[in-house]
Amino acid sequence: MTKTYQPNWDSLTRHQVPAWFSDGKFGLYAHWGVYSVPGFGNEWYGKWMQDPAHEIHRLHSERFGSPADYGYTRFIDGFTAERYDPDEWAALFEASGARYAGFSLAHHDGFGLWASDVYRWNVGVMGPKRDLYGELAAALRARGLRLVAPFHIIRGFNWFLPGWNQWDQTFDESAVERGLAEGWELFDPEYADFYWVRQTSKFEDFFLQWQLKVREVIDKYQPDLMWFDGGKFRDEGYEDTALEILAYYLNQAAARGDEALVLNKLPVSMQYNFHPDFGVINFEQGRDRPIEYERPWNDDMRIGDKSWGWVEDQQYASGHSLLSKLIDCAARGGTMMLSLSPKPDGAIPAGQRASLLEMGAWLRLNGKAIYDTLPWTTPSEGDLEKLWRHERGHRFWIYDKCSADDRRYTQSKDGKTVFALTLGIPQSSVTFEALNSGVGIERVSLVESAQPARWTQSEAGLTIDVTNLEFKTDLAAAWKVSLK
């Protein structure tokens, strides 16, 4: 096989972002795993239940017993996926307007959602005893959707240790001593290849298994997009391995005539996973994303307010806030990925489905203003401050306060059309300031129905009278502005 890419940054940074991703704008994935079985806390349940200083440890002990009597692996039998229908998932994803989808193959706890031949802790041999990921991959591709493969497991070594701090490599020694004395499952050598803690295993073995897992997924499922949640990818002794895997992945795709892609996450450490010129920069929940960013970027978010995984009594983002984010990302030259939270039986909660279907209904009518577009000279008008939440020295982008006062712009690739959007439905009129009398306009019409609009243009901008227009959804409005 001819190698298009070599395992070095000079070669890999020449990889171009495929048009299917830049044009598709919107993707879905899911946090689904053993951590959803207890149904409270969050997707870090397996870690917090081992930490006597954490509230989850107390709740776990009250509900199930101590970590010695009821270890985390006991939840695997409850991860049944009995209501999981990959065709139904794929139909929902398609109806949402997403162009690529998948779910996290394994979170920090390491339990795999694909049928693996390289380690035992996976759904092929435990729990549902099905190839959950493989089934979804087939269903998505049957509908023409691209396949996403997120991995979180590189941070898994010592992750379960009480008080573990990955930055300074410290942990709560007294809690570890207690766990050893009480015989917690965490420190049982029989489970060393699941928990991967320093007391029973070695990082070198963990890292070797990580490589085998990633290569297996690449070979077995040929995903179109991969991303990794933090890790030692740039550290001496590990970077060469990361380079080899990245080159292998892109070369395998090139040999098939496919265009693959890697998301390059900016973790809380503010150090990119990979070279800053490689792949598409990924901002979690919009954390630390600049107002303007020249490189291709993606913003991913969770649909729930408490956890990336399923927990009881969680509130879900509305279709309006999700669509507002998608429109804003497209206007600023980015893309959006949304993570769902399925139940352990494989059902996607009704609240999540409703928000997705709201988005999809709008995109079926107005998708021309989002898909296959480019940013215009002016991305937005309106209050930026309400889009930001500041926490622990970081800034997050939020979209639950958007309204018709927030205006956004995209344009067609040929530059002949500007799409003017509001993140809500205006009551009587709306003025798009950037489309002032210096811009030659030929006609203005609603995207969703081609209804012609009554409009005037002045130095103040393009003012559209909306009193005679009928909108088919109440989430947002989009106008096609044909230029002279």
Side-chain angles (χ1 to χ4, degrees), residues 55-171:
E55 176 71 1
I56 295 301
H57 175 85
R58 182 185 67 79
L59 292 171
H60 178 86
S61 299
E62 290 176 356
R63 296 190 184 189
F64 305 106
S66 78
D69 300 324
Y70 204 105
Y72 184 61
T73 63
R74 292 281 296 275
F75 290 116
I76 293 175
D77 288 341
F79 187 65
T80 62
E82 60 190 17
R83 296 177 61 192
Y84 171 59
D85 182 341
D87 292 323
E88 182 183 27
W89 278 37
L92 175 64
F93 293 176
E94 182 182 38
S96 77
R99 296 294 177 86
Y100 37 93
F103 52 67
S104 179
L105 288 134
H107 206 259
H108 304 317
D109 63 5
F111 187 75
L113 270 62
W114 78 100
S116 176
D117 297 321
V118 301
Y119 80 130
R120 59 177 175 146
W121 298 100
N122 69 84
V123 293
V125 294
M126 297 181 181
K129 297 182 179 179
R130 296 168 57 183
D131 186 1
L132 303 181
Y133 186 77
E135 293 175 20
L136 183 62
L140 290 171
R141 284 175 165 151
R143 292 178 176 272
L145 274 68
R146 297 273 184 166
L147 182 62
V148 176
F151 271 109
H152 292 71
I153 50 177
I154 192 61
R155 292 166 57 188
F157 191 77
N158 284 332
W159 182 77
F160 283 98
L161 281 183
W164 172 251
N165 185 317
Q166 62 176 322
W167 312 118
D168 60 14
Q169 307 284 291
T170 59
F171 55 92

Side-chain angles (χ1 to χ4, degrees), residues 387-399:
L387 300 182
W388 298 331
R389 173 173 58 85
H390 299 273
E391 182 180 320
R392 298 179 182 179
H394 298 276
R395 185 181 68 193
F396 297 79
W397 289 72
I398 57 175
Y399 294 91

